[in-house]
Amino acid sequence: MEGRLTKLALKGDQRAFAELVELYKDKIYHLAYRMLNNRHEAEDIVQETFLRVYRNLDRYDDKQKFSTWIYRIGTNLCIDRLRKRKPTYSLDAEMNDQEGIDGYSMIPSDNVTPETELLLSETQGLIYEAIDSLPVKYRSVMILRYLQDLSLQEISDVLDMPVTTIKTRVHRGREFLRKKLGPKL
């Protein structure tokens, strides 16, 4: 379906482009919100992403997945916005020697019972807060991997980096989160 819509949009079909927007606007919003932790900025990123996609449709290489291309545009816009900000993460978090459990095991599944919902949402909040405190180069990889559920190869394509670099950043991001979350979980 994505391929058909992309081909139609490339030929100038406005309805097909509108369907692509519908297909990806929430995904790009969630990506941007997780990276920027700000609703207004996330909404701006969604608009800017689709504006860039529309302006650059003629540059789209149909040998790659459209989703990879749009994620790359959205992620790069988020990274640019984060670089313009002052860092908000705390360097002392990296010096914490405590070892913790893997926080990803605490993200709730779809079959959460009402009794555990509050505890899990608090835990999830701690995890999101910890992810937000990561340096940008780790944050983007962790969000794409664990919150957007992309494979290492897809992240490699989105960020235009070798898979080995992505693996290293996932590992280091997980270690950072383990140290940050250890005392809290």
Side-chain angles (χ1 to χ4, degrees), residues 24-33 42 45-46 49-50 67 70-71 74-75 78 148:
Y24 287 101
K25 71 177 183 181
D26 289 342
K27 293 175 183 179
I28 299 299
Y29 174 81
H30 291 298
L31 167 75
Y33 182 74
I45 293 295
V46 171
T49 298
F50 285 108
S67 59
I70 197 167
Y71 271 119
T75 301
C78 289
Q148 297 293 322

Side-chain angles (χ1 to χ4, degrees), residues 61 104 113 122 159 172 181-182 185:
D61 177 5
Y104 299 104
T113 62
E122 287 174 0
L159 297 177
R172 288 184 182 155
L181 292 169
L185 296 179

Side-chain angles (χ1 to χ4, degrees), residues 129-141:
E129 191 178 299
I131 288 173
D132 289 340
S133 73
L134 288 171
V136 175
K137 68 181 183 178
Y138 300 123
R139 186 182 326 171
S140 58
V141 170

Side-chain angles (χ1 to χ4, degrees), residues 44-173:
D44 288 349
I45 293 295
V46 171
Q47 289 180 1
E48 182 64 24
T49 298
F50 285 108
L51 190 60
R52 290 212 181 164
V53 166
Y54 186 76
R55 285 184 184 155
N56 296 297
L57 266 175
D58 57 326
R59 293 184 188 170
Y60 168 67
D61 177 5
D62 60 4
K63 291 181 188 86
Q64 68 176 332
K65 288 170 58 176
F66 183 79
S67 59
T68 299
W69 188 58
I70 197 167
Y71 271 119
R72 179 181 293 166
I73 292 169
T75 301
N76 286 338
L77 286 168
C78 289
I79 290 170
D80 288 347
R81 179 109 16 144
L82 286 168
R83 282 184 180 142
K84 291 176 184 169
R85 289 183 183 172
K86 291 182 180 176
T88 57
Y89 56 89
S90 169
L91 292 177
D92 62 334
E94 293 180 17
M95 292 180 235
N96 186 342
D97 289 335
Q98 295 198 3
E99 195 60 38
I101 63 166
D102 185 352
Y104 299 104
S105 62
M106 300 298 287
I107 294 178
S109 65
D110 291 340
N111 56 359
V112 175
T113 62
E115 294 80 31
T116 60
E117 204 167 278
L118 179 63
L119 177 63
L120 288 172
S121 70
E122 287 174 0
T123 303
Q124 194 173 26
L126 287 172
I127 292 167
Y128 287 157
E129 191 178 299
I131 288 173
D132 289 340
S133 73
L134 288 171
V136 175
K137 68 181 183 178
Y138 300 123
R139 186 182 326 171
S140 58
V141 170
M142 299 303 279
I143 289 169
L144 290 169
R145 179 73 183 111
Y146 293 104
L147 303 180
Q148 297 293 322
D149 206 26
L150 296 185
S151 71
L152 295 174
Q153 184 60 56
E154 288 171 321
I155 298 168
S156 169
D157 294 342
V158 167
L159 297 177
D160 198 24
M161 292 179 186
V163 174
T164 52
T165 303
I166 300 303
K167 284 181 183 176
T168 300
R169 288 188 180 183
V170 166
H171 176 73
R172 288 184 182 155

Side-chain angles (χ1 to χ4, degrees), residues 1-10 13 15-17 19-20 23:
M1 178 170 114
E2 174 188 283
R4 181 183 60 80
L5 288 174
T6 306
K7 285 177 185 163
L8 290 171
L10 284 167
D13 186 327
R15 236 187 283 153
F17 185 77
E19 283 187 54
L20 285 171
L23 200 58

